[in-house]
């Protein structure tokens, strides 16, 4: 039996919510204030499936009730009711542990979605061990579908994403990874927006996928989009959609990525790269849970959980006026920090074994093993490229080695490559340039350290494939169109 506790001091609202939920087969217990709610909890708290409470009550705050429920009934999902436009109140509630919120006036469809999400959250809470084991990454099994994360993970076409050669799950025995996996398991049960921060190559998209797969939205789509890879003039229609004829070239209607993620999760990677004008529209879409396609007058309701990420310091971006404070406040309800590889070097053996296994499987050969000396050498590296840099290094080593053992020489020597300068190597990335392209490479100087790192990795892949752009794009996890876009942007002939 599904039962709900409805706490609101307005009789009309209590009655309306109860009538709507009873149509869905829910038994409703009603309370007008904190005292009545506490009495209901004492009498039937263990039989409740979820609770819906107003923020402002005659004898206290709804957050007080939320805190009491979390202590006495930790598995009971609680959603809060806020007045229209009270974003601050909603964010406070989510940070305090509410799994979701609804704004007045409350619509029937919104209540149905809330009921569905609450029951899924309750189901997840009732089996924490199973859900944690599913994605905590204690082994490499069951993680093969997760794509690489970083500057090469997404572009204008979502179908092109995640085609990297080696895919690393959240594995490793380090305390940092254990804490991250535990936090992911907790965060997944909420509907609150999550902001993931960490250096490039640490696995932010993988973390986002784990959150989605552990959540009640796991049956829905997970739509990743790299906000920095879509041209500014196209990003609004890519996110919100457009109607046919809305602008030149709009030969047919496009639903947009928000609507494509309906019932699931939308991952906004490198969200700091969004233009300021679009940030306003994104804020409204998140607050109102509606989007307006380009060229349309009516807004379309959406049911999407927002997960965002950036390697940049968003607080600094807010201070510099490059990112809206209200949007940051709305996205950063829950913050997850992904540790860099140099902070969890004890994970290197497990990571290397997994990456080498996947590379060997792709090449149809037995997986090679690193010698103790090679592992020791790796542990001394700074790994500015993090896990992605490690993947690139091992991919190059396995491509140039035929034996079953990879020593230090396999990680540092480059047969037949006279242009390699070992003094210019960092994290196994080839930073040199062939003599015939030095004059054209970098015609447009990199605008940031990240772009410089991206240029180095692209050049390394091009050299390894003798400037075969299709093969280089495959190794980088890009589509050919995305690689061409970057080369044109950097002024490479």
């Amino acid at each position: 039996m599904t039962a709900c506790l409805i706490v609101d001091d307005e009789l009309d609202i209590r009655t309306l919510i109860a009538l709507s939920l009873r149509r869905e087969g829910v038994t409703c217990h009603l309370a007008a204030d904190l005292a009545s709610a506490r009495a209901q909890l004492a009498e039937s708290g263990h039989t409740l499936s979820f609770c819906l409470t107003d923020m402002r009550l005659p004898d206290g705050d709804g957050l007080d009730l939320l805190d009491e429920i979390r202590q006495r009934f930790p598995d009971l999902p609680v959603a809060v009711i806020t007045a229209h436009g009270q974003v601050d109140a909603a964010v406070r509630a989510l940070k305090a542990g509410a799994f979701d919120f609804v704004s007045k006036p409350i619509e029937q469809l919104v209540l149905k979605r809330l009921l569905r999400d609450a029951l899924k959250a309750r189901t997840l809470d009732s089996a924490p061990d199973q859900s944690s084991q599913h994605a905590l990454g204690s082994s490499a099994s069951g993680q093969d579908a997760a794509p690489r994360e970083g500057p090469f993970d997404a572009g204008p076409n979502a179908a092109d994403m995640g085609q990297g050669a080696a895919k690393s799950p959240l594995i490793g025995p380090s305390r940092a990874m254990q804490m991250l996996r535990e936090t992911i398991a907790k965060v997944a049960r909420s509907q609150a927006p999550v902001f993931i921060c960490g250096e490039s190559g640490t696995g932010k998209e993988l973390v986002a996928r784990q959150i989605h797969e552990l959540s009640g939205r796991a049956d829905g789509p997970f739509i990743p989009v790299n906000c920095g890879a879509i041209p500014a003039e196209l990003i609004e229609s890519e996110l919100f959609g457009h109607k046919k004829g809305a602008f030149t070239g709009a030969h047919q209607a496009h639903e947009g990525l928000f609507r494509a993620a309906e019932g699931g999760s939308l991952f906004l990677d490198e969200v700091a790269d969004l233009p300021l004008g679009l940030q306003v529209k994104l804020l409204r879409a998140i607050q109102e849970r509606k989007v307006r396609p380009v060229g349309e007058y009516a807004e379309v309701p959406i049911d999407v959980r927002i997960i965002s990420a950036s390697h940049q310091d968003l607080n600094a971006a807010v201070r510099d006026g490059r990112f809206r404070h209200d949007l940051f406040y709305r996205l950063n309800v829950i913050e997850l920090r992904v540790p860099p590889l140099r902070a969890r070097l004890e994970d290197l053996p497990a990571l290397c074994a997994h990456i080498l296994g996947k590379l060997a499987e792709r090449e149809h050969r037995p997986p090679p093993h690193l010698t103790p000396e090679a592992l020791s050498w790796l542990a001394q590296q700074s790994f500015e490229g993090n896990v992605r840099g490690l993947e690139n290094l091992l991919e190059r080593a396995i491509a140039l080695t035929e034996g079953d053992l990879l020593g230090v020489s396999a990680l540092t020597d480059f047969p037949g490559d006279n242009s390699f300068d070992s003094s210019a190597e960092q994290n196994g990335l080839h930073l040199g340039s062939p003599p015939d392209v030095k004059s054209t490479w970098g015609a447009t100087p990199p605008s940031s350290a990240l772009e410089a790192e991206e240029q180095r990795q692209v050049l390394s892949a091009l050299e390894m494939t003798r400037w075969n752009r299709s093969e280089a794009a495959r190794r980088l996890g890009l589509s050919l169109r995305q690689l061409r876009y970057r080369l044109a942007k950097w002024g490479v002939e």
Side-chain angles (χ1 to χ4, degrees):
M1 180 185 69
T2 302
C4 172
L5 173 60
I6 303 169
V7 187
D8 197 293
D9 60 333
E10 298 184 46
L11 176 60
D12 291 345
I13 293 180
R14 292 200 307 273
T15 303
L16 177 62
I17 295 174
L19 287 173
S20 299
L21 291 178
R22 283 166 183 160
R23 294 193 189 104
E24 305 299 323
V26 178
T27 300
C28 297
H29 302 268
L30 308 182
D33 50 35
L34 276 178
S36 301
R38 288 167 177 149
Q40 293 276 11
L41 286 169
E43 181 179 349
S44 54
H46 293 285
T47 66
L48 294 174
S49 303
F50 71 104
C51 174
L52 183 59
T53 179
D54 195 6
M55 287 285 286
R56 296 182 178 180
L57 298 169
D59 54 349
D61 194 310
L63 294 184
D64 294 334
L65 180 63
L66 170 61
D67 187 56
E68 292 179 26
I69 291 177
R70 290 190 65 197
Q71 294 182 28
R72 297 175 56 193
F73 307 98
D75 295 340
L76 181 62
V78 180
V80 298
I81 306 170
T82 64
H84 180 74
Q86 286 188 346
V87 179
D88 291 354
V91 171
R92 286 204 320 273
L94 292 171
K95 286 182 178 289
F99 88 96
D100 207 350
F101 73 95
V102 291
S103 299
K104 301 175 184 178
I106 303 174
E107 302 175 0
Q108 174 72 16
L109 288 177
V110 174
L111 278 175
K112 290 181 68 175
R113 175 189 59 78
L114 187 69
L115 172 63
R116 179 203 68 196
D117 293 342
L119 295 180
K120 285 184 177 180
R122 184 62 184 261
T123 301
L124 290 171
D125 282 334
S126 65
D129 294 338
Q130 180 180 357
S131 61
S132 299
Q133 184 65 27
H134 171 68
L136 292 194
S138 57
S139 68
S141 62
Q143 304 293 334
D144 299 346
R148 293 199 301 183
E149 181 279 326
F152 308 132
D153 62 340
N157 186 350
D160 295 328
M161 302 175 188
Q163 300 301 318
K167 306 172 178 64
S168 298
L170 293 173
I171 60 176
S174 66
R175 180 57 183 161
M177 291 306 292
Q178 291 178 25
M179 293 178 64
L180 178 62
R181 293 191 292 259
E182 291 169 3
T183 304
I184 287 173
K186 295 176 183 177
V187 166
R189 297 180 175 92
S190 168
Q191 298 296 311
V194 178
F195 175 67
I196 305 169
C197 54
E199 297 177 8
S200 177
T202 50
K204 294 186 291 295
E205 181 175 334
L206 183 56
V207 170
R209 285 184 178 271
Q210 296 285 5
I211 293 172
H212 171 76
E213 291 170 6
L214 277 177
S215 73
R217 295 177 175 268
D219 294 336
F222 175 86
I223 304 294
V225 53
N226 189 322
C227 299
I230 305 177
E233 61 272 15
L234 296 179
I235 193 166
E236 181 177 359
S237 66
E238 284 294 312
L239 288 178
F240 305 135
H242 62 255
K243 76 172 187 177
K244 181 178 179 180
F247 50 84
T248 302
H251 301 301
Q252 60 183 8
H254 173 56
E255 69 173 2
L257 296 173
F258 264 92
R259 293 163 70 187
E262 181 70 19
S265 304
L266 179 65
F267 175 55
L268 301 176
D269 196 11
E270 298 304 340
V271 70
D273 292 336
L274 286 173
L276 278 171
L278 189 69
Q279 291 178 27
V280 179
K281 298 178 180 179
L282 176 60
L283 176 64
R284 175 173 176 80
I286 295 173
Q287 290 181 176
E288 303 298 328
R289 295 183 175 177
K290 295 178 181 179
V291 296
R292 187 194 305 274
V294 177
E296 293 282 6
Y297 293 101
E299 292 183 320
V300 180
I302 53 170
D303 173 21
V304 173
R305 183 182 191 180
I306 301 294
I307 305 174
S308 58
S310 177
H311 76 283
Q312 300 185 42
D313 183 351
L314 278 195
N315 283 296
V318 170
R319 289 193 300 270
D320 296 342
R322 295 180 288 111
F323 201 82
R324 293 181 61 93
H325 177 270
D326 47 6
L327 178 58
F328 174 64
Y329 183 65
R330 193 65 185 85
L331 291 174
N332 194 33
V333 175
I334 300 174
E335 181 177 288
L336 287 182
R337 292 189 174 272
V338 186
L341 183 54
R342 61 182 175 276
R344 54 185 190 101
L345 291 178
E346 58 265 50
D347 295 335
L348 272 176
L351 277 171
C352 291
H354 174 76
I355 294 170
L356 290 172
K358 301 306 293 183
L359 289 170
E361 181 180 359
R362 190 191 69 189
E363 300 296 332
H364 304 289
R365 57 177 285 185
H369 302 281
L370 291 167
T371 64
E373 293 78 14
L375 274 173
S376 177
W377 181 86
L378 283 173
Q380 299 173 29
Q381 307 309 302
S382 60
F383 285 113
E384 294 178 5
N386 291 294
V387 177
R388 188 178 58 248
L390 176 64
E391 289 175 348
N392 291 342
L393 174 59
L394 293 178
E395 182 174 8
R396 184 184 61 193
I398 198 174
L400 299 175
T401 305
E402 296 182 357
D404 294 335
L405 283 179
L406 299 180
V408 175
S409 60
L411 303 174
T412 58
D413 294 344
F414 302 89
D417 186 1
N418 296 325
S419 67
F420 179 74
D421 179 4
S422 60
S423 65
E425 182 191 24
Q426 292 189 20
N427 305 326
L429 298 179
H430 192 321
L431 308 185
S433 299
D436 59 337
V437 298
K438 281 184 178 178
S439 60
T440 59
W441 184 262
T444 301
S447 60
S448 65
L450 173 66
E451 188 171 46
E453 175 70 15
E454 189 174 359
Q455 286 185 4
R456 287 195 292 267
Q457 294 198 33
V458 168
L459 179 57
S460 177
L462 287 169
E463 290 175 340
M464 287 289 296
T465 59
R466 298 180 180 273
W467 284 75
N468 182 325
R469 298 189 180 190
S470 297
E471 175 62 17
R474 186 189 67 79
R475 294 192 179 197
L476 293 168
L478 294 169
S479 68
L480 181 58
R481 179 163 60 94
Q482 291 167 342
L483 178 59
R484 286 173 175 167
Y485 170 79
R486 283 166 170 78
L487 295 178
K489 173 183 175 183
W490 297 329
V492 180
E493 298 177 0

